[in-house]
Amino acid sequence: MLCPKCQRDNSPDAVRCLHCGSSTAIAALEVTRGNLAERLYYLGPRHYTIGRAAHNDLALQEPSISKSHARLIYEDGSFSVEDEKSLHGVYVNATKSSRAALVHGALLQLGNVTFKFKVLGSEGTTDKIAQFPWVEHQQLLLSLVQTLNSTLVLSEVLVQVLDAVMRITRAERGYLFLADAAPEDGGSFHSIAGLHLRVGRRRGGVPIEDVQGVSSSVIRKAVESGETVATGNAVADPSLGLAKSVILMDLRTIVCIPLRSPRSEAVGTVRGLGALYVDNPETSASFPADSLRAAEALARHAALAIENAQLFESERRTTQELRIAQNQLLQAEKMATIGRMAAGLAHELNTPLTYIMGSLELLQLQALSQDQQELLGAVNKGVERIRGLGQNLLAFSRPAQEQPMPVDVNVILERALEFCHYQTMKAGVQVEKHLEATLPRVPGVASQLEMAFINLIVNAGQAMAERSVRMLTITTSHANGEVEIRVADTGPGIPDEIRPTVFEPFVTTKAAGEGTGLGLSTVLMIAQRHRGRIDFTTEPGLGTEFRLHLPTA
């Protein structure tokens, strides 16, 4: 499409010449009734498709307009409109038409939207309207301010701001940079001149994810001076032409508007939030003055909205961190209570054990038969196990008294299985072991690890109490500097409602009086004390597998 002023070629959808900056529009559709984001649509000397779908030349987001509603046809210097079999039809001056010519002042109705057709340069309208579309700017500003006031989500605010500035300036590219930008996912943003790229766009909404072709000198000058930097030919600009980024990239039309904190300015200090940067890399035509004024006004509103969104995100993160800390404190208090209970229970066990062990020693001095001696030996063995359990409870409540040492996980597992042998045999549980012979040792406290394994084994056995197939599979292996212990059962699986809290104290599926809900919380505590971790997989009706990972070094 040729520019009527300089007669140089432009893209078909250009409404402003890329070479001289003059308007290439010959007509316009002004919205007089209806709810559309834009109020003025400029038309060049070509055909246009109109509809709700994004592929149309004029994509109008209005439910009453069909996806492909109408066509504007340019022939012999004039426009006509043609219905594209739309749902509600096309009306010109209140008359339904399949095709009709458009003259200056004609009213075109598509669905619930009414346009006034204007021929630029005719009576009642001038080229100044096309060159300085102040009505459109005011509508854009009003629409954006309303949008910004309705959201506190920073990412949404940034996109709305940049899109509006690009629409006002009709720039080819646009960038929005912020001074403090830390991604929540732990990633990083591209940075330039001390600022971080948050949003980048080409005309048409195509995203830009790098800062290639952006002048750091222009951004730095705008941020440091607090004033808008605007140039129609950066290479020829005496204040910018010596900058390396401008020379190397042969930059042309650039506008950079600093974003300043309104709250800081109110108290006499200046704090830079970031910068808006738009450019037309292939033309030296300056951005119109009214566009710059509208963009600067927009930047003032945008800075306040961005600061509000940043404050909201900061408060949200603080609230989330406090909630996590509160949960951790509650969990620590629960475990401290369990530790005190364990210490008290161990102390209470010692008193009756003293009497029992003393009585056993007296009985062993008596003349007893061989059978009686064997019975006393079995009783003595049980007493030793109870005493060991008391010591384990004390170790659990006061872990600092036992120092980690290299231990053989397979040996501890065998000891735990022996301790639980009577329970598994009575419950009819078949035990299957797959213990890796070359398993490396892990630094740990044997008594605590034994307690963790016992809890896992007992839990698995109790889970299979009502099952016809009761198979307990224990597997050990090592990889990537870790020893993995897997304890799998063929029980009913863990119910969905308690899976998120299964490691919390006092969470149990057993009936009142049959379980305390402390087994898995104890296992988790022991795993954490050994710098390890525990997780599980479960399937309804198929069973559950717990996996305990312990570092080897």
Side-chain angles (χ1 to χ4, degrees), residues 255-274:
V255 170
C256 186
I257 306 172
L259 295 170
R260 316 304 292 265
S261 168
R263 293 184 178 88
S264 297
E265 291 178 356
V267 296
T269 60
V270 176
R271 184 169 72 89
L273 295 175

Side-chain angles (χ1 to χ4, degrees), residues 396-451:
F396 177 71
S397 62
R398 297 194 296 269
Q401 294 181 356
E402 294 194 44
Q403 296 300 321
M405 297 182 64
V407 296
D408 189 328
V409 169
N410 286 342
V411 171
I412 299 173
L413 267 172
E414 293 282 12
R415 199 159 60 232
L417 283 168
E418 182 184 356
F419 190 87
C420 300
H421 175 69
Y422 176 75
Q423 287 177 289
T424 55
M425 182 183 65
K426 184 179 179 182
V429 175
Q430 182 180 351
V431 179
E432 188 173 293
K433 297 182 293 183
H434 303 282
L435 308 183
E436 183 181 312
T438 58
L439 203 66
R441 292 175 177 265
V442 301
V445 179
S447 59
Q448 292 185 26
L449 291 175
E450 184 178 347
M451 182 183 294

Side-chain angles (χ1 to χ4, degrees), residues 120 357 440:
L120 302 181
M357 294 179 70

Side-chain angles (χ1 to χ4, degrees), residues 15 23-32 38-46 48 50 58 72 74 78-79 102-108 114-122 124-131 133 135-136 170:
V15 295
S23 172
T24 59
I26 61 172
L29 290 173
E30 182 182 357
V31 178
T32 60
E38 295 192 35
R39 311 301 293 180
L40 204 60
Y41 296 84
Y42 292 102
L43 306 175
R46 68 181 187 90
Y48 291 86
I50 306 176
L58 301 181
L72 288 178
Y74 181 74
S78 62
F79 282 96
L102 294 177
V103 297
H104 178 68
L107 296 179
L108 172 63
T114 302
F115 301 91
K116 187 175 183 179
F117 179 76
K118 295 183 177 183
V119 178
L120 302 181
S122 62
T125 183
T126 66
D127 284 338
K128 188 175 181 180
I129 294 178
Q131 290 285 353
V135 174
E136 182 184 9
R170 304 190 185 280

Side-chain angles (χ1 to χ4, degrees), residues 46 86 108 114 145 165 236-237 329 332 340 346 354 356-357 398 420-421 428 433 467 474 476 481 485 511 513 533 541:
R46 68 181 187 90
S86 61
L108 172 63
T114 302
V145 170
V165 171
D237 192 320
L329 184 62
R340 289 192 293 269
T354 302
I356 294 172
M357 294 179 70
R398 297 194 296 269
C420 300
H421 175 69
K433 297 182 293 183
R467 309 290 286 181
I474 299 177
T476 60
I485 302 97
R533 67 186 191 282

Side-chain angles (χ1 to χ4, degrees), residues 13-274:
D13 60 343
V15 295
R16 196 177 298 279
C17 179
L18 294 175
H19 309 285
C20 68
S22 63
S23 172
T24 59
I26 61 172
L29 290 173
E30 182 182 357
V31 178
T32 60
R33 185 175 68 90
N35 185 25
L36 292 179
E38 295 192 35
R39 311 301 293 180
L40 204 60
Y41 296 84
Y42 292 102
L43 306 175
R46 68 181 187 90
H47 301 328
Y48 291 86
T49 59
I50 306 176
R52 194 175 72 251
H55 62 76
N56 289 286
D57 298 312
L58 301 181
L60 310 177
Q61 297 304 311
E62 161 60 44
S64 63
I65 294 177
S66 300
K67 290 183 178 180
S68 296
H69 200 112
R71 291 177 67 229
L72 288 178
I73 301 170
Y74 181 74
E75 292 178 335
D76 300 326
S78 62
F79 282 96
S80 59
V81 62
E82 183 176 80
D83 190 358
E84 289 284 281
K85 298 180 181 180
S86 61
L87 180 62
H88 299 295
V90 173
Y91 292 81
V92 177
N93 293 329
T95 301
K96 189 174 184 179
S97 308
S98 59
R99 178 164 178 163
L102 294 177
V103 297
H104 178 68
L107 296 179
L108 172 63
Q109 183 177 340
L110 306 177
N112 295 330
V113 181
T114 302
F115 301 91
K116 187 175 183 179
F117 179 76
K118 295 183 177 183
V119 178
L120 302 181
S122 62
E123 185 180 356
T125 183
T126 66
D127 284 338
K128 188 175 181 180
I129 294 178
Q131 290 285 353
F132 304 103
W134 61 270
V135 174
E136 182 184 9
H137 292 166
Q138 294 301 317
Q139 292 290 345
L140 267 175
L141 283 174
L142 178 61
S143 175
L144 182 73
V145 170
Q146 291 173 342
T147 301
L148 294 180
N149 289 338
S150 65
T151 180
L152 285 172
V153 180
L154 183 59
S155 58
E156 294 179 6
V157 170
L158 300 181
V159 170
Q160 293 283 349
V161 169
L162 182 60
D163 286 349
V165 171
M166 291 186 68
R167 286 165 64 187
I168 288 174
T169 59
R170 304 190 185 280
E172 292 289 335
R173 300 189 309 174
Y175 302 86
L176 197 154
F177 299 91
L178 290 184
D180 52 343
E184 292 186 356
D185 59 3
S188 60
F189 295 121
H190 291 282
S191 61
I192 185 170
L195 302 179
H196 305 277
L197 174 65
R198 291 302 302 266
V199 186
R201 288 279 194 276
R202 296 188 187 277
R203 183 182 291 176
V206 179
I208 303 175
E209 297 181 354
D210 56 45
V211 293
Q212 185 176 0
V214 176
S215 171
S216 58
S217 300
V218 170
I219 295 176
R220 191 175 293 108
K221 181 178 179 180
V223 172
E224 291 177 354
S225 67
E227 302 292 336
T228 299
V229 175
T231 177
N233 191 344
V235 174
D237 192 320
S239 64
L240 298 172
L242 297 179
K244 290 184 179 179
S245 58
V246 173
I247 296 171
L248 292 176
M249 294 180 284
D250 192 26
L251 299 179
R252 301 292 174 177
T253 305
I254 303 171
V255 170
C256 186
I257 306 172
L259 295 170
R260 316 304 292 265
S261 168
R263 293 184 178 88
S264 297
E265 291 178 356
V267 296
T269 60
V270 176
R271 184 169 72 89
L273 295 175

